[in-house]
mmCIF file of all heavy atoms in Angstrom:
data_model
loop_
_atom_site.group_PDB
_atom_site.id
_atom_site.type_symbol
_atom_site.label_atom_id
_atom_site.label_comp_id
_atom_site.label_asym_id
_atom_site.label_seq_id
_atom_site.Cartn_x
_atom_site.Cartn_y
_atom_site.Cartn_z
ATOM 1 N N ALA A 23 76.246 78.652 115.609
ATOM 2 C CA ALA A 23 76.872 77.505 116.259
ATOM 3 C C ALA A 23 77.899 76.847 115.384
ATOM 4 O O ALA A 23 78.667 76.012 115.834
ATOM 5 C CB ALA A 23 75.802 76.502 116.651
ATOM 6 N N TRP A 32 85.901 93.603 119.460
ATOM 7 C CA TRP A 32 85.649 94.708 118.519
ATOM 8 C C TRP A 32 85.630 96.039 119.262
ATOM 9 O O TRP A 32 85.050 96.148 120.345
ATOM 10 C CB TRP A 32 84.307 94.472 117.848
ATOM 11 C CG TRP A 32 84.294 94.839 116.397
ATOM 12 C CD1 TRP A 32 83.815 95.978 115.862
ATOM 13 C CD2 TRP A 32 84.783 94.052 115.323
ATOM 14 N NE1 TRP A 32 83.975 95.965 114.502
ATOM 15 C CE2 TRP A 32 84.567 94.783 114.135
ATOM 16 C CE3 TRP A 32 85.389 92.807 115.229
ATOM 17 C CZ2 TRP A 32 84.927 94.310 112.885
ATOM 18 C CZ3 TRP A 32 85.752 92.327 113.988
ATOM 19 C CH2 TRP A 32 85.524 93.077 112.835
ATOM 20 N N ARG A 100 74.979 90.864 113.700
ATOM 21 C CA ARG A 100 74.215 91.023 114.936
ATOM 22 C C ARG A 100 74.391 92.444 115.485
ATOM 23 O O ARG A 100 75.503 92.816 115.849
ATOM 24 C CB ARG A 100 74.685 89.997 115.962
ATOM 25 C CG ARG A 100 73.949 90.073 117.300
ATOM 26 C CD ARG A 100 74.226 88.823 118.120
ATOM 27 N NE ARG A 100 75.647 88.666 118.372
ATOM 28 C CZ ARG A 100 76.258 89.012 119.502
ATOM 29 N NH1 ARG A 100 75.562 89.561 120.476
ATOM 30 N NH2 ARG A 100 77.551 88.808 119.659
ATOM 31 N N GLY A 132 84.537 99.325 93.346
ATOM 32 C CA GLY A 132 84.957 99.013 91.983
ATOM 33 C C GLY A 132 83.780 99.065 91.031
ATOM 34 O O GLY A 132 82.613 98.967 91.423
ATOM 35 N N LYS A 135 80.729 101.363 91.610
ATOM 36 C CA LYS A 135 79.801 101.155 92.715
ATOM 37 C C LYS A 135 80.470 101.530 94.032
ATOM 38 O O LYS A 135 81.686 101.626 94.135
ATOM 39 C CB LYS A 135 79.352 99.698 92.764
ATOM 40 C CG LYS A 135 78.612 99.231 91.516
ATOM 41 C CD LYS A 135 78.223 97.764 91.650
ATOM 42 C CE LYS A 135 77.482 97.285 90.410
ATOM 43 N NZ LYS A 135 77.124 95.843 90.514
ATOM 44 N N ASN A 160 69.328 102.280 120.176
ATOM 45 C CA ASN A 160 70.713 102.460 120.597
ATOM 46 C C ASN A 160 71.582 101.227 120.329
ATOM 47 O O ASN A 160 72.400 100.807 121.152
ATOM 48 C CB ASN A 160 70.790 102.822 122.084
ATOM 49 C CG ASN A 160 70.251 104.211 122.346
ATOM 50 O OD1 ASN A 160 70.424 105.113 121.521
ATOM 51 N ND2 ASN A 160 69.590 104.388 123.471
ATOM 52 N N ALA A 224 120.172 126.081 84.368
ATOM 53 C CA ALA A 224 121.151 125.531 83.421
ATOM 54 C C ALA A 224 121.506 124.085 83.785
ATOM 55 O O ALA A 224 121.621 123.222 82.903
ATOM 56 C CB ALA A 224 122.416 126.401 83.407
ATOM 57 N N LEU A 241 115.483 111.369 86.697
ATOM 58 C CA LEU A 241 116.111 112.683 86.686
ATOM 59 C C LEU A 241 117.049 112.860 87.876
ATOM 60 O O LEU A 241 118.168 113.373 87.738
ATOM 61 C CB LEU A 241 115.035 113.770 86.691
ATOM 62 C CG LEU A 241 115.535 115.217 86.812
ATOM 63 C CD1 LEU A 241 116.428 115.583 85.628
ATOM 64 C CD2 LEU A 241 114.366 116.178 86.924
ATOM 65 N N ILE A 286 90.637 125.590 111.547
ATOM 66 C CA ILE A 286 90.733 124.384 110.722
ATOM 67 C C ILE A 286 90.656 123.138 111.599
ATOM 68 O O ILE A 286 89.987 122.157 111.266
ATOM 69 C CB ILE A 286 92.040 124.384 109.913
ATOM 70 C CG1 ILE A 286 91.984 125.442 108.796
ATOM 71 C CG2 ILE A 286 92.337 123.010 109.325
ATOM 72 C CD1 ILE A 286 90.984 125.105 107.702
ATOM 73 N N PRO A 297 85.906 115.299 119.669
ATOM 74 C CA PRO A 297 85.826 116.625 120.299
ATOM 75 C C PRO A 297 87.141 117.393 120.180
ATOM 76 O O PRO A 297 88.226 116.805 120.195
ATOM 77 C CB PRO A 297 85.522 116.306 121.768
ATOM 78 C CG PRO A 297 85.004 114.913 121.768
ATOM 79 C CD PRO A 297 85.650 114.222 120.630
ATOM 80 N N VAL A 338 95.511 114.780 121.561
ATOM 81 C CA VAL A 338 96.573 114.724 120.562
ATOM 82 C C VAL A 338 96.254 115.732 119.461
ATOM 83 O O VAL A 338 95.111 116.161 119.307
ATOM 84 C CB VAL A 338 96.707 113.306 119.948
ATOM 85 C CG1 VAL A 338 97.221 112.308 120.964
ATOM 86 C CG2 VAL A 338 95.383 112.833 119.376
ATOM 87 N N GLU A 366 100.013 123.992 120.388
ATOM 88 C CA GLU A 366 100.420 124.973 121.395
ATOM 89 C C GLU A 366 99.788 124.638 122.750
ATOM 90 O O GLU A 366 100.451 124.704 123.790
ATOM 91 C CB GLU A 366 100.007 126.386 120.965
ATOM 92 C CG GLU A 366 100.761 126.923 119.755
ATOM 93 C CD GLU A 366 100.235 126.380 118.442
ATOM 94 O OE1 GLU A 366 99.135 125.760 118.455
ATOM 95 O OE2 GLU A 366 100.916 126.540 117.414
ATOM 96 N N PRO A 378 109.155 121.129 132.852
ATOM 97 C CA PRO A 378 109.908 121.306 131.605
ATOM 98 C C PRO A 378 110.301 119.968 130.987
ATOM 99 O O PRO A 378 110.555 118.987 131.692
ATOM 100 C CB PRO A 378 111.147 122.099 132.043
ATOM 101 C CG PRO A 378 110.732 122.766 133.304
ATOM 102 C CD PRO A 378 109.764 121.848 133.970
ATOM 103 N N LEU A 398 114.807 98.555 143.954
ATOM 104 C CA LEU A 398 113.463 98.443 143.399
ATOM 105 C C LEU A 398 112.707 97.270 144.018
ATOM 106 O O LEU A 398 111.503 97.382 144.296
ATOM 107 C CB LEU A 398 113.537 98.283 141.873
ATOM 108 C CG LEU A 398 113.934 99.546 141.099
ATOM 109 C CD1 LEU A 398 114.179 99.222 139.640
ATOM 110 C CD2 LEU A 398 112.865 100.624 141.215
ATOM 111 N N ALA A 434 120.096 93.639 131.483
ATOM 112 C CA ALA A 434 120.433 92.548 130.563
ATOM 113 C C ALA A 434 121.180 93.078 129.344
ATOM 114 O O ALA A 434 122.176 92.481 128.897
ATOM 115 C CB ALA A 434 119.164 91.814 130.134
ATOM 116 N N VAL A 464 123.728 82.750 134.418
ATOM 117 C CA VAL A 464 124.149 83.272 135.717
ATOM 118 C C VAL A 464 122.925 83.884 136.407
ATOM 119 O O VAL A 464 122.081 84.511 135.764
ATOM 120 C CB VAL A 464 125.274 84.328 135.585
ATOM 121 C CG1 VAL A 464 126.526 83.694 135.027
ATOM 122 C CG2 VAL A 464 124.835 85.496 134.695
ATOM 123 N N ALA A 476 102.509 89.367 138.686
ATOM 124 C CA ALA A 476 102.506 90.746 138.192
ATOM 125 C C ALA A 476 103.655 90.982 137.218
ATOM 126 O O ALA A 476 103.482 91.657 136.203
ATOM 127 C CB ALA A 476 102.599 91.717 139.365
ATOM 128 N N VAL A 527 110.905 83.325 128.773
ATOM 129 C CA VAL A 527 112.265 83.464 128.249
ATOM 130 C C VAL A 527 112.243 84.575 127.210
ATOM 131 O O VAL A 527 111.421 84.559 126.284
ATOM 132 C CB VAL A 527 112.781 82.162 127.620
ATOM 133 C CG1 VAL A 527 114.186 82.371 127.059
ATOM 134 C CG2 VAL A 527 112.788 81.033 128.644
ATOM 135 N N LEU A 589 128.047 95.154 93.033
ATOM 136 C CA LEU A 589 127.300 93.928 93.287
ATOM 137 C C LEU A 589 125.938 94.249 93.905
ATOM 138 O O LEU A 589 125.823 95.147 94.738
ATOM 139 C CB LEU A 589 128.058 92.994 94.233
ATOM 140 C CG LEU A 589 129.301 92.291 93.686
ATOM 141 C CD1 LEU A 589 129.927 91.425 94.770
ATOM 142 C CD2 LEU A 589 128.974 91.449 92.463
ATOM 143 N N THR A 593 119.288 89.837 100.929
ATOM 144 C CA THR A 593 119.282 88.929 102.077
ATOM 145 C C THR A 593 117.860 88.715 102.563
ATOM 146 O O THR A 593 117.048 89.642 102.554
ATOM 147 C CB THR A 593 120.134 89.457 103.252
ATOM 148 O OG1 THR A 593 119.421 90.500 103.938
ATOM 149 C CG2 THR A 593 121.474 89.990 102.785
ATOM 150 N N GLU A 595 116.149 87.342 106.055
ATOM 151 C CA GLU A 595 116.574 87.039 107.424
ATOM 152 C C GLU A 595 115.377 87.007 108.365
ATOM 153 O O GLU A 595 114.338 87.600 108.096
ATOM 154 C CB GLU A 595 117.587 88.097 107.894
ATOM 155 C CG GLU A 595 118.788 88.246 106.970
ATOM 156 C CD GLU A 595 119.671 89.424 107.337
ATOM 157 O OE1 GLU A 595 120.279 89.387 108.425
ATOM 158 O OE2 GLU A 595 119.750 90.382 106.543
ATOM 159 N N GLY A 615 102.889 83.770 104.807
ATOM 160 C CA GLY A 615 103.386 83.128 103.600
ATOM 161 C C GLY A 615 104.665 83.703 103.039
ATOM 162 O O GLY A 615 105.147 83.257 101.995
ATOM 163 N N THR A 663 123.472 72.023 111.854
ATOM 164 C CA THR A 663 124.113 70.706 111.884
ATOM 165 C C THR A 663 125.339 70.772 112.781
ATOM 166 O O THR A 663 125.834 71.847 113.122
ATOM 167 C CB THR A 663 124.524 70.257 110.470
ATOM 168 O OG1 THR A 663 125.263 71.307 109.842
ATOM 169 C CG2 THR A 663 123.310 69.934 109.621
ATOM 170 N N VAL A 667 130.831 68.175 107.538
ATOM 171 C CA VAL A 667 130.543 66.954 106.784
ATOM 172 C C VAL A 667 129.067 66.581 106.898
ATOM 173 O O VAL A 667 128.424 66.206 105.916
ATOM 174 C CB VAL A 667 131.442 65.804 107.283
ATOM 175 C CG1 VAL A 667 131.071 64.498 106.590
ATOM 176 C CG2 VAL A 667 132.909 66.134 107.041
ATOM 177 N N VAL A 670 126.634 68.325 104.466
ATOM 178 C CA VAL A 670 126.529 67.778 103.114
ATOM 179 C C VAL A 670 125.508 66.649 103.085
ATOM 180 O O VAL A 670 124.620 66.597 102.224
ATOM 181 C CB VAL A 670 127.914 67.274 102.638
ATOM 182 C CG1 VAL A 670 127.792 66.588 101.282
ATOM 183 C CG2 VAL A 670 128.902 68.430 102.563
ATOM 184 N N ASP A 679 119.335 66.815 94.444
ATOM 185 C CA ASP A 679 119.967 66.007 93.413
ATOM 186 C C ASP A 679 121.477 66.037 93.643
ATOM 187 O O ASP A 679 122.085 67.114 93.664
ATOM 188 C CB ASP A 679 119.642 66.584 92.031
ATOM 189 C CG ASP A 679 120.301 65.799 90.924
ATOM 190 O OD1 ASP A 679 119.701 64.826 90.442
ATOM 191 O OD2 ASP A 679 121.448 66.165 90.558
ATOM 192 N N SER A 726 150.270 62.050 116.818
ATOM 193 C CA SER A 726 150.457 62.716 118.102
ATOM 194 C C SER A 726 151.922 62.866 118.485
ATOM 195 O O SER A 726 152.346 63.907 119.003
ATOM 196 C CB SER A 726 149.693 61.964 119.197
ATOM 197 O OG SER A 726 150.184 60.640 119.320
ATOM 198 N N LEU A 765 135.301 72.925 105.234
ATOM 199 C CA LEU A 765 135.338 71.867 104.235
ATOM 200 C C LEU A 765 135.313 72.519 102.858
ATOM 201 O O LEU A 765 134.364 73.246 102.536
ATOM 202 C CB LEU A 765 134.148 70.925 104.413
ATOM 203 C CG LEU A 765 134.039 69.724 103.475
ATOM 204 C CD1 LEU A 765 133.326 68.569 104.183
ATOM 205 C CD2 LEU A 765 133.286 70.046 102.181
ATOM 206 N N ARG A 794 140.951 71.332 109.007
ATOM 207 C CA ARG A 794 141.226 71.293 110.440
ATOM 208 C C ARG A 794 139.895 71.270 111.173
ATOM 209 O O ARG A 794 139.044 72.137 110.940
ATOM 210 C CB ARG A 794 142.053 72.509 110.854
ATOM 211 C CG ARG A 794 142.493 72.453 112.308
ATOM 212 C CD ARG A 794 143.636 73.387 112.594
ATOM 213 N NE ARG A 794 143.270 74.785 112.484
ATOM 214 C CZ ARG A 794 144.106 75.782 112.776
ATOM 215 N NH1 ARG A 794 145.340 75.512 113.165
ATOM 216 N NH2 ARG A 794 143.704 77.029 112.658
#
Side-chain angles (χ1 to χ4, degrees):
W32 219 260
R100 180 166 59 99
K135 299 179 180 179
N160 291 325
L241 175 62
I286 289 292
V338 292
E366 292 79 12
L398 288 171
V464 295
V527 179
L589 288 179
T593 76
E595 305 172 66
T663 50
V667 175
V670 175
D679 179 88
S726 61
L765 182 150
R794 186 162 67 176

